Amino acid sequence: MDKYIIIGPQGSGKGTQARLLSDSFDFVHISIGDIFRWNMVNHTKLAARVTRIMNEGRLVPDEIVEEVVRQRLEQHDWNFGFVLDGFPRTRSQAEYLFENWNLDKAIYLDIPEDVVFGRVMQRVAEGQGGGFTKRLDDNPQALRVRLQEFLEKTQPLLRLFEQKGMLVTIDGNQSIEGVFESIVANLGLQTAAAKSR
Ligand code: AMP
């Protein structure tokens, strides 16, 4: 069973890569942001607690996030493993993860800040064009807050993963296919085609 997390700032492509990995290797893709957005669409009690925070681009309090992750992972529907997308983002969340779930690797999508900002602004423009699903936290103010939260709270976690020998740093400034191939090679994963050879 493979247990991975994928870390990177907004616009680094972590959602895309987590999905590709899960589709190719039968892992379960768990996106905390998607779980929150599902709750918002369905107007749940949880949504009432997190909507404003999320829309402002701030991080949701650790105890709420850890509970969501615990409930999701305890479903144990991840026979081949999971890719956690967007967790952990703080020191407390990382400690929760180390204490409760035996993580294999932390995949970090490394990408220069100016590239991130360019990609994200493109997403804002596309959202305003109406052709894409608009995320309420894809506006310049919330984006600045999200990037700040990443730099202050999430990026420092990389050292922790490095000390534990779990960190896999990938150059995120490549094509989607290029990033994916680097991840697969670095994790030593075998595609079905390679396995049957
Ligand atoms: P994402 O879709 O991963 O960009 O997450 C969207 C938003 O959900 C974030 O900006 C936070 O408000 C919230 N969120 C997602 N994951 C976490 C987390 N691990 N800790 C705190 N807040 C989170």
Side-chain angles (χ1 to χ4, degrees):
M1 213 179 303
D2 296 4
K3 306 194 199 79
Y4 302 119
I5 61 158
I6 190 156
I7 291 194
Q10 52 195 313
S12 61
K14 64 186 159 59
T16 303
Q17 296 298 331
R19 214 166 295 122
L20 281 172
L21 267 178
S22 305
D23 289 350
S24 307
F25 301 98
D26 284 332
F27 303 139
V28 173
H29 171 206
I30 301 175
S31 158
I32 309 310
D34 281 353
I35 294 176
F36 286 144
R37 281 183 287 275
W38 182 91
N39 277 274
M40 284 159 75
V41 170
N42 290 286
H43 303 285
T44 66
K45 269 192 190 163
L46 177 62
R49 298 171 71 194
V50 304
T51 299
R52 192 163 153 203
I53 298 172
M54 265 183 83
N55 288 347
E56 288 174 1
R58 288 183 291 132
L59 291 182
V60 171
D62 289 330
E63 43 310 345
I64 298 180
V65 180
E66 287 163 25
E67 180 59 16
V68 164
V69 170
R70 188 184 64 73
Q71 283 183 12
R72 180 64 192 81
L73 289 179
E74 282 183 355
Q75 289 181 23
H76 284 282
D77 56 344
W78 32 277
N79 296 337
F80 295 101
F82 60 73
V83 183
L84 263 179
D85 160 9
F87 183 92
R89 275 171 146 124
T90 64
R91 177 93 194 195
S92 160
Q93 294 176 17
E95 277 161 10
Y96 163 83
L97 192 65
F98 294 140
E99 278 163 27
N100 295 282
W101 308 94
N102 261 333
L103 191 69
D104 291 301
K105 295 282 179 198
I107 306 160
Y108 169 49
L109 299 184
D110 187 16
I111 183 160
E113 238 176 84
D114 55 330
V115 177
V116 161
F117 226 80
R119 283 191 190 179
V120 161
M121 284 307 162
Q122 194 183 345
R123 195 154 95 189
V124 173
E126 284 163 353
Q128 282 164 349
F132 290 71
T133 313
K134 176 110 177 75
R135 277 177 60 159
L136 283 174
D137 55 355
D138 272 352
N139 64 73
Q141 172 57 21
L143 287 168
R144 252 185 292 277
V145 175
R146 282 160 68 196
L147 194 56
Q148 196 59 34
E149 292 276 57
F150 176 80
L151 295 174
E152 266 174 33
K153 296 175 183 157
T154 309
Q155 207 168 43
L157 302 179
L158 297 175
R159 266 198 60 215
L160 266 186
F161 293 117
E162 192 166 29
Q163 284 162 357
K164 290 181 180 283
M166 289 176 178
L167 186 66
V168 173
T169 301
I170 303 287
D171 175 8
N173 197 12
Q174 315 175 57
S175 65
I176 291 176
E177 296 76 20
V179 173
F180 183 60
E181 280 165 21
S182 305
I183 295 175
V184 170
N186 270 276
L187 296 180
L189 291 170
Q190 288 207 313
T191 58
K195 269 188 209 160
S196 64
R197 254 178 238 139

